[in-house]
Amino acid sequence: MFINGHWIGVQSGKTFDITNPATAEVIGQVPDGGVEETLQAIEAAYDAFPLWAALTAYQRSGFLYDAHRLMMENLEHLAQTMTREQGKPIRAARNEVKYGADFLLWYAEEAKRVYGQTIPAPRPDQRFIVLHQPVGVVGAITPWNYPVSMITRKVAPALAAGCTVVLKPAEATPLCAVEMFKLFEQAHLPPGVVNLVTAADPVPVGQTLLEDPRVRKLTFTGSTAVGKHIAREAASQLKRVSLELGGHAPFIVCKDADPVHAAKGAMLVKFLNTGQACISPNRIFVHRSQVEAFLDEAKKRISRMQAGNGMEAGVSIGPLIGPDALAKIDHQVKNALDLGAEVICGGKRLMGGGLDKGYFYAPTLLNKISPGMRIYREETFGPVAPVVPYDSEEEVVEMANDTHYGLAAYVYTQNLSRAVRMLEKLRFGIVGINDINPTAAAAPFGGMQESGLGREGGREGIAEYLETKLGGLSV
Ligand code: NAD
């Protein structure tokens, strides 16, 4: 753990094991922190806050530029750590490191643009000046599926704004966090500005961050259930919260779309990170006239996907993160088949050929999915592409919006008017139109409804870490 500029363990020496999900081998240990270490980290962040906030934006920006450079210099090492710890293919891990580094670069620049304003006042002797100031100590909790970029997406805007941070990474992927904090150390961030607490049990650390009044904001990426718990608990001290939660993205293939192009996009985004992404398509609505051509192309593409250890060349499907993920997917697929779905390919755990010890599930294509099936309602978080045939635009918009989630949606169409109608009517925070990667450090990312509160990235991302202060002057 990295607290107040020092690497420390817990006093008892207690650690927990980290395993490679492709092989089930133990690849490292990290300290098993708890309440005591979290309190130390909060104290360090609290003490560091006034000095960090008082630096000029140019000075804070300089640290972020350094951290960005260090990330790019250590890209390969970070990517290899990620593949061993989280399982994604090495090429995808490299892309994630680059995407993660972009947040440091972008917020190094944005730090200098935290503009206030002057407002015309109603009295002749009155002046209004609006300032933006950092909220204070931030507690950050990150997930395992994007173990590097979810750190920079929170830490970069928080530091740019002038906040200090206590971060708790997911218990499955703390090694990536440790490697990132080594780089923060090399960037010579002052002691206490960023602190890392690792723990096998997230609850004591999470509760301490929630209950300690010195922490003024919680930023969380993870499941909707835990996000709601955090929002409820944070309310007792009216701490600010940013929540990036689960999703259930519709992917809509319109009757005027090219079904081959749409299937290419759908398969690329569906199987990215083995489906373990909050913006992964979970319900693929295909116009009935396009279903056959779409399924043919999707099946062809799946047949070329190779599952295996992400370190091996040619592998595009890594393991799931653990046995619970396998069980959930197996259950969803069996339930769909029992209720009349048709399996086009896949539909089972992958064994043999060196895959037995890892948590591999075959890339799966299902057709004839209907509203009574679990997969139609629940986030899947795995390599299963469920196709739902539909007949009209009105019907598909209603079906797509029929979820309590609201993170990402995708539309494939060649009709501009339809594209605009869909963009306006879909109740999701991110809508990709003929585009499967509608994310970047410069763009606001986040969900509506039970997919979250607040945005990460873009101008909105730094506003989450700023208070607005009004100065009213009589002159
Ligand atoms: P999770 O909610 O179980 O865990 C996320 C983090 O919260 C981990 O660090 C975990 O240790 C911690 N945590 C768990 N229980 C806690 C508690 N009681 N108090 C404090 N912290 C606690 O989710 P997960 O399984 O790690 O991640 C998958 C979920 O994250 C999916 O639902 C996915 O859609 C979502 N996700 C969302 C985004 C987004 O930007 N919206 C991005 C990635 C993942």
PDB file of all heavy atoms in Angstrom, residues 68 101-111 113 441-443 457-462:
ATOM      1  N   HIS A  68       1.835  11.069 -17.160  1.00  0.00           N
ATOM      2  CA  HIS A  68       1.474  10.581 -18.498  1.00  0.00           C
ATOM      3  C   HIS A  68       2.700  10.024 -19.222  1.00  0.00           C
ATOM      4  O   HIS A  68       2.677   8.935 -19.789  1.00  0.00           O
ATOM      5  CB  HIS A  68       0.841  11.722 -19.318  1.00  0.00           C
ATOM      6  CG  HIS A  68       0.652  11.358 -20.757  1.00  0.00           C
ATOM      7  ND1 HIS A  68       1.532  11.757 -21.749  1.00  0.00           N
ATOM      8  CD2 HIS A  68      -0.274  10.596 -21.371  1.00  0.00           C
ATOM      9  CE1 HIS A  68       1.131  11.263 -22.904  1.00  0.00           C
ATOM     10  NE2 HIS A  68       0.041  10.568 -22.706  1.00  0.00           N
ATOM     11  N   ALA A 101      -3.763   6.511 -20.120  1.00  0.00           N
ATOM     12  CA  ALA A 101      -2.775   7.600 -20.107  1.00  0.00           C
ATOM     13  C   ALA A 101      -3.390   8.888 -20.658  1.00  0.00           C
ATOM     14  O   ALA A 101      -3.064   9.990 -20.211  1.00  0.00           O
ATOM     15  CB  ALA A 101      -1.544   7.197 -20.919  1.00  0.00           C
ATOM     16  N   ASP A 102      -4.294   8.745 -21.619  1.00  0.00           N
ATOM     17  CA  ASP A 102      -4.955   9.929 -22.206  1.00  0.00           C
ATOM     18  C   ASP A 102      -5.628  10.798 -21.159  1.00  0.00           C
ATOM     19  O   ASP A 102      -5.712  12.016 -21.315  1.00  0.00           O
ATOM     20  CB  ASP A 102      -6.050   9.484 -23.187  1.00  0.00           C
ATOM     21  CG  ASP A 102      -5.499   9.253 -24.570  1.00  0.00           C
ATOM     22  OD1 ASP A 102      -4.330   9.572 -24.805  1.00  0.00           O
ATOM     23  OD2 ASP A 102      -6.258   8.727 -25.413  1.00  0.00           O
ATOM     24  N   PHE A 103      -6.157  10.171 -20.098  1.00  0.00           N
ATOM     25  CA  PHE A 103      -6.839  10.969 -19.066  1.00  0.00           C
ATOM     26  C   PHE A 103      -5.852  11.858 -18.331  1.00  0.00           C
ATOM     27  O   PHE A 103      -6.185  12.986 -17.969  1.00  0.00           O
ATOM     28  CB  PHE A 103      -7.593  10.064 -18.079  1.00  0.00           C
ATOM     29  CG  PHE A 103      -8.843   9.502 -18.681  1.00  0.00           C
ATOM     30  CD1 PHE A 103      -8.820   8.301 -19.373  1.00  0.00           C
ATOM     31  CD2 PHE A 103     -10.038  10.197 -18.604  1.00  0.00           C
ATOM     32  CE1 PHE A 103      -9.964   7.800 -19.964  1.00  0.00           C
ATOM     33  CE2 PHE A 103     -11.191   9.709 -19.195  1.00  0.00           C
ATOM     34  CZ  PHE A 103     -11.152   8.502 -19.885  1.00  0.00           C
ATOM     35  N   LEU A 104      -4.622  11.368 -18.123  1.00  0.00           N
ATOM     36  CA  LEU A 104      -3.607  12.206 -17.458  1.00  0.00           C
ATOM     37  C   LEU A 104      -3.256  13.394 -18.350  1.00  0.00           C
ATOM     38  O   LEU A 104      -3.149  14.526 -17.892  1.00  0.00           O
ATOM     39  CB  LEU A 104      -2.362  11.363 -17.149  1.00  0.00           C
ATOM     40  CG  LEU A 104      -2.577  10.297 -16.067  1.00  0.00           C
ATOM     41  CD1 LEU A 104      -1.431   9.293 -16.060  1.00  0.00           C
ATOM     42  CD2 LEU A 104      -2.709  10.949 -14.684  1.00  0.00           C
ATOM     43  N   LEU A 105      -3.090  13.113 -19.635  1.00  0.00           N
ATOM     44  CA  LEU A 105      -2.727  14.175 -20.569  1.00  0.00           C
ATOM     45  C   LEU A 105      -3.849  15.211 -20.687  1.00  0.00           C
ATOM     46  O   LEU A 105      -3.626  16.419 -20.601  1.00  0.00           O
ATOM     47  CB  LEU A 105      -2.430  13.546 -21.937  1.00  0.00           C
ATOM     48  CG  LEU A 105      -1.910  14.476 -23.018  1.00  0.00           C
ATOM     49  CD1 LEU A 105      -0.617  15.132 -22.590  1.00  0.00           C
ATOM     50  CD2 LEU A 105      -1.699  13.697 -24.317  1.00  0.00           C
ATOM     51  N   TRP A 106      -5.050  14.701 -20.857  1.00  0.00           N
ATOM     52  CA  TRP A 106      -6.168  15.607 -21.090  1.00  0.00           C
ATOM     53  C   TRP A 106      -6.429  16.493 -19.873  1.00  0.00           C
ATOM     54  O   TRP A 106      -6.641  17.695 -19.995  1.00  0.00           O
ATOM     55  CB  TRP A 106      -7.433  14.809 -21.460  1.00  0.00           C
ATOM     56  CG  TRP A 106      -8.363  15.657 -22.276  1.00  0.00           C
ATOM     57  CD1 TRP A 106      -8.258  15.940 -23.603  1.00  0.00           C
ATOM     58  CD2 TRP A 106      -9.492  16.378 -21.800  1.00  0.00           C
ATOM     59  NE1 TRP A 106      -9.266  16.781 -23.986  1.00  0.00           N
ATOM     60  CE2 TRP A 106     -10.035  17.060 -22.915  1.00  0.00           C
ATOM     61  CE3 TRP A 106     -10.103  16.505 -20.568  1.00  0.00           C
ATOM     62  CZ2 TRP A 106     -11.168  17.856 -22.821  1.00  0.00           C
ATOM     63  CZ3 TRP A 106     -11.237  17.307 -20.466  1.00  0.00           C
ATOM     64  CH2 TRP A 106     -11.756  17.971 -21.576  1.00  0.00           C
ATOM     65  N   TYR A 107      -6.350  15.899 -18.669  1.00  0.00           N
ATOM     66  CA  TYR A 107      -6.598  16.704 -17.465  1.00  0.00           C
ATOM     67  C   TYR A 107      -5.384  17.553 -17.074  1.00  0.00           C
ATOM     68  O   TYR A 107      -5.547  18.542 -16.359  1.00  0.00           O
ATOM     69  CB  TYR A 107      -7.123  15.842 -16.317  1.00  0.00           C
ATOM     70  CG  TYR A 107      -8.582  15.518 -16.562  1.00  0.00           C
ATOM     71  CD1 TYR A 107      -8.982  14.237 -16.931  1.00  0.00           C
ATOM     72  CD2 TYR A 107      -9.549  16.515 -16.495  1.00  0.00           C
ATOM     73  CE1 TYR A 107     -10.317  13.961 -17.209  1.00  0.00           C
ATOM     74  CE2 TYR A 107     -10.883  16.250 -16.774  1.00  0.00           C
ATOM     75  CZ  TYR A 107     -11.259  14.978 -17.129  1.00  0.00           C
ATOM     76  OH  TYR A 107     -12.574  14.725 -17.417  1.00  0.00           O
ATOM     77  N   ALA A 108      -4.186  17.194 -17.565  1.00  0.00           N
ATOM     78  CA  ALA A 108      -3.046  18.101 -17.392  1.00  0.00           C
ATOM     79  C   ALA A 108      -3.371  19.412 -18.101  1.00  0.00           C
ATOM     80  O   ALA A 108      -3.040  20.507 -17.633  1.00  0.00           O
ATOM     81  CB  ALA A 108      -1.779  17.479 -17.975  1.00  0.00           C
ATOM     82  N   GLU A 109      -4.059  19.296 -19.233  1.00  0.00           N
ATOM     83  CA  GLU A 109      -4.429  20.494 -19.988  1.00  0.00           C
ATOM     84  C   GLU A 109      -5.646  21.178 -19.370  1.00  0.00           C
ATOM     85  O   GLU A 109      -5.682  22.398 -19.190  1.00  0.00           O
ATOM     86  CB  GLU A 109      -4.679  20.091 -21.448  1.00  0.00           C
ATOM     87  CG  GLU A 109      -3.372  19.663 -22.110  1.00  0.00           C
ATOM     88  CD  GLU A 109      -3.516  18.725 -23.288  1.00  0.00           C
ATOM     89  OE1 GLU A 109      -4.648  18.325 -23.614  1.00  0.00           O
ATOM     90  OE2 GLU A 109      -2.473  18.379 -23.879  1.00  0.00           O
ATOM     91  N   GLU A 110      -6.629  20.378 -18.991  1.00  0.00           N
ATOM     92  CA  GLU A 110      -7.888  20.940 -18.475  1.00  0.00           C
ATOM     93  C   GLU A 110      -7.700  21.622 -17.122  1.00  0.00           C
ATOM     94  O   GLU A 110      -8.453  22.541 -16.778  1.00  0.00           O
ATOM     95  CB  GLU A 110      -8.924  19.808 -18.382  1.00  0.00           C
ATOM     96  CG  GLU A 110     -10.357  20.268 -18.312  1.00  0.00           C
ATOM     97  CD  GLU A 110     -10.832  21.021 -19.556  1.00  0.00           C
ATOM     98  OE1 GLU A 110     -10.081  21.120 -20.550  1.00  0.00           O
ATOM     99  OE2 GLU A 110     -11.955  21.542 -19.528  1.00  0.00           O
ATOM    100  N   ALA A 111      -6.685  21.188 -16.351  1.00  0.00           N
ATOM    101  CA  ALA A 111      -6.422  21.826 -15.049  1.00  0.00           C
ATOM    102  C   ALA A 111      -6.316  23.336 -15.212  1.00  0.00           C
ATOM    103  O   ALA A 111      -6.738  24.102 -14.342  1.00  0.00           O
ATOM    104  CB  ALA A 111      -5.113  21.277 -14.466  1.00  0.00           C
ATOM    105  N   ARG A 113      -7.861  25.212 -17.220  1.00  0.00           N
ATOM    106  CA  ARG A 113      -9.079  25.849 -17.773  1.00  0.00           C
ATOM    107  C   ARG A 113     -10.249  25.800 -16.806  1.00  0.00           C
ATOM    108  O   ARG A 113     -11.405  25.748 -17.240  1.00  0.00           O
ATOM    109  CB  ARG A 113      -9.473  25.151 -19.073  1.00  0.00           C
ATOM    110  CG  ARG A 113      -8.399  25.274 -20.105  1.00  0.00           C
ATOM    111  CD  ARG A 113      -8.782  24.649 -21.419  1.00  0.00           C
ATOM    112  NE  ARG A 113      -7.576  24.509 -22.217  1.00  0.00           N
ATOM    113  CZ  ARG A 113      -7.130  23.379 -22.707  1.00  0.00           C
ATOM    114  NH1 ARG A 113      -7.790  22.254 -22.521  1.00  0.00           N
ATOM    115  NH2 ARG A 113      -6.018  23.339 -23.393  1.00  0.00           N
ATOM    116  N   ALA A 441     -11.007  10.443 -23.586  1.00  0.00           N
ATOM    117  CA  ALA A 441     -10.777  11.283 -22.407  1.00  0.00           C
ATOM    118  C   ALA A 441     -11.508  12.619 -22.524  1.00  0.00           C
ATOM    119  O   ALA A 441     -11.925  13.200 -21.520  1.00  0.00           O
ATOM    120  CB  ALA A 441      -9.286  11.510 -22.213  1.00  0.00           C
ATOM    121  N   ALA A 442     -11.682  13.108 -23.745  1.00  0.00           N
ATOM    122  CA  ALA A 442     -12.279  14.430 -23.945  1.00  0.00           C
ATOM    123  C   ALA A 442     -13.801  14.419 -23.895  1.00  0.00           C
ATOM    124  O   ALA A 442     -14.421  15.479 -23.956  1.00  0.00           O
ATOM    125  CB  ALA A 442     -11.829  14.977 -25.305  1.00  0.00           C
ATOM    126  N   ALA A 443     -14.415  13.231 -23.812  1.00  0.00           N
ATOM    127  CA  ALA A 443     -15.877  13.138 -23.946  1.00  0.00           C
ATOM    128  C   ALA A 443     -16.517  12.656 -22.635  1.00  0.00           C
ATOM    129  O   ALA A 443     -15.962  11.779 -21.965  1.00  0.00           O
ATOM    130  CB  ALA A 443     -16.208  12.170 -25.077  1.00  0.00           C
ATOM    131  N   GLY A 457     -14.511  12.056 -17.694  1.00  0.00           N
ATOM    132  CA  GLY A 457     -14.012  12.505 -18.990  1.00  0.00           C
ATOM    133  C   GLY A 457     -14.625  13.852 -19.333  1.00  0.00           C
ATOM    134  O   GLY A 457     -15.656  14.258 -18.781  1.00  0.00           O
ATOM    135  N   GLY A 458     -13.929  14.570 -20.219  1.00  0.00           N
ATOM    136  CA  GLY A 458     -14.447  15.843 -20.699  1.00  0.00           C
ATOM    137  C   GLY A 458     -14.460  16.918 -19.626  1.00  0.00           C
ATOM    138  O   GLY A 458     -13.942  16.737 -18.523  1.00  0.00           O
ATOM    139  N   ARG A 459     -15.069  18.058 -19.976  1.00  0.00           N
ATOM    140  CA  ARG A 459     -15.179  19.167 -19.023  1.00  0.00           C
ATOM    141  C   ARG A 459     -15.985  18.745 -17.809  1.00  0.00           C
ATOM    142  O   ARG A 459     -15.723  19.140 -16.687  1.00  0.00           O
ATOM    143  CB  ARG A 459     -15.912  20.332 -19.700  1.00  0.00           C
ATOM    144  CG  ARG A 459     -14.981  21.341 -20.314  1.00  0.00           C
ATOM    145  CD  ARG A 459     -15.771  22.562 -20.729  1.00  0.00           C
ATOM    146  NE  ARG A 459     -16.718  22.212 -21.794  1.00  0.00           N
ATOM    147  CZ  ARG A 459     -17.940  22.737 -21.935  1.00  0.00           C
ATOM    148  NH1 ARG A 459     -18.370  23.635 -21.096  1.00  0.00           N
ATOM    149  NH2 ARG A 459     -18.718  22.369 -22.914  1.00  0.00           N
ATOM    150  N   GLU A 460     -17.010  17.895 -18.072  1.00  0.00           N
ATOM    151  CA  GLU A 460     -17.875  17.438 -16.983  1.00  0.00           C
ATOM    152  C   GLU A 460     -17.090  16.653 -15.947  1.00  0.00           C
ATOM    153  O   GLU A 460     -17.402  16.669 -14.762  1.00  0.00           O
ATOM    154  CB  GLU A 460     -18.995  16.545 -17.546  1.00  0.00           C
ATOM    155  CG  GLU A 460     -20.015  17.271 -18.392  1.00  0.00           C
ATOM    156  CD  GLU A 460     -19.579  17.480 -19.844  1.00  0.00           C
ATOM    157  OE1 GLU A 460     -18.397  17.232 -20.161  1.00  0.00           O
ATOM    158  OE2 GLU A 460     -20.413  17.909 -20.643  1.00  0.00           O
ATOM    159  N   GLY A 461     -16.054  15.942 -16.396  1.00  0.00           N
ATOM    160  CA  GLY A 461     -15.292  15.064 -15.503  1.00  0.00           C
ATOM    161  C   GLY A 461     -14.569  15.823 -14.407  1.00  0.00           C
ATOM    162  O   GLY A 461     -14.450  15.328 -13.283  1.00  0.00           O
ATOM    163  N   ILE A 462     -14.078  17.013 -14.685  1.00  0.00           N
ATOM    164  CA  ILE A 462     -13.372  17.779 -13.652  1.00  0.00           C
ATOM    165  C   ILE A 462     -14.379  18.518 -12.761  1.00  0.00           C
ATOM    166  O   ILE A 462     -14.135  18.693 -11.558  1.00  0.00           O
ATOM    167  CB  ILE A 462     -12.298  18.717 -14.266  1.00  0.00           C
ATOM    168  CG1 ILE A 462     -11.340  19.220 -13.173  1.00  0.00           C
ATOM    169  CG2 ILE A 462     -12.893  19.873 -15.010  1.00  0.00           C
ATOM    170  CD1 ILE A 462     -10.070  19.860 -13.718  1.00  0.00           C
TER     171      ILE A 462
END
